[in-house]
Amino acid sequence: MLGRTYQWSIRLGFGVALTFFALASLFYTRLPERIPIQFAFDWTVSNWGNKIMIFTLPAIVLILAGAGYGKNKEWEVSATAGQKRINQVALIACQLFVWCMGAYIFFLYARLLE
């Protein structure tokens, strides 16, 4: 059961990466030259960067999905069933975390454009 969920999470990861790239492309021309790239615990901006940095998060999502796809092939051969399950759950959890953070960051950028 987890194997199918894992496969769907990898496919969904590529879809989320494409969606984030589309959003970044849409926002890019409308953003100011400096955008917030790091936030403190109270959600105040603690670091600024060039607007090209908006493509960093979609790239991370794409790398994570690609790593999961490549690791799945490797795990088929080298990992025991228990290790494979733990690896898959950990990668799904990482993907969910990055997706949620990405959605929130794009929400913040959308608010920046108002």
Side-chain angles (χ1 to χ4, degrees):
M1 177 69 179
L2 181 63
R4 287 185 181 176
T5 304
Y6 178 74
Q7 289 298 326
W8 277 104
S9 75
I10 296 301
R11 290 183 184 121
L12 189 59
F14 285 116
V16 169
L18 291 175
T19 302
F20 282 173
F21 272 114
L23 283 171
S25 298
L26 182 74
F27 288 166
Y28 183 77
T29 58
R30 297 173 42 206
L31 286 172
E33 285 302 313
R34 281 185 34 183
I35 61 170
I37 59 170
Q38 186 178 11
F39 299 90
F41 287 112
D42 61 354
W43 293 105
T44 58
V45 177
S46 60
N47 197 3
W48 295 83
N50 191 337
K51 69 180 182 177
I52 195 75
M53 295 294 291
I54 196 169
F55 293 104
T56 304
L57 184 73
I60 291 170
V61 173
L62 186 62
I63 290 168
L64 190 58
Y69 180 76
K71 285 294 182 188
N72 188 46
K73 300 298 181 192
E74 183 181 313
W75 291 336
E76 292 293 331
V77 177
S78 65
T80 65
Q83 289 172 329
K84 183 178 174 183
R85 184 168 291 127
I86 290 170
N87 293 339
Q88 289 174 344
V89 168
L91 192 59
I92 290 171
C94 288
Q95 283 183 326
L96 289 173
F97 176 74
V98 171
W99 297 347
C100 290
M101 289 302 297
Y104 186 71
I105 287 171
F106 278 108
F107 170 76
L108 290 176
Y109 288 146
R111 299 261 332 235
L112 184 66
L113 295 175
E114 291 179 349

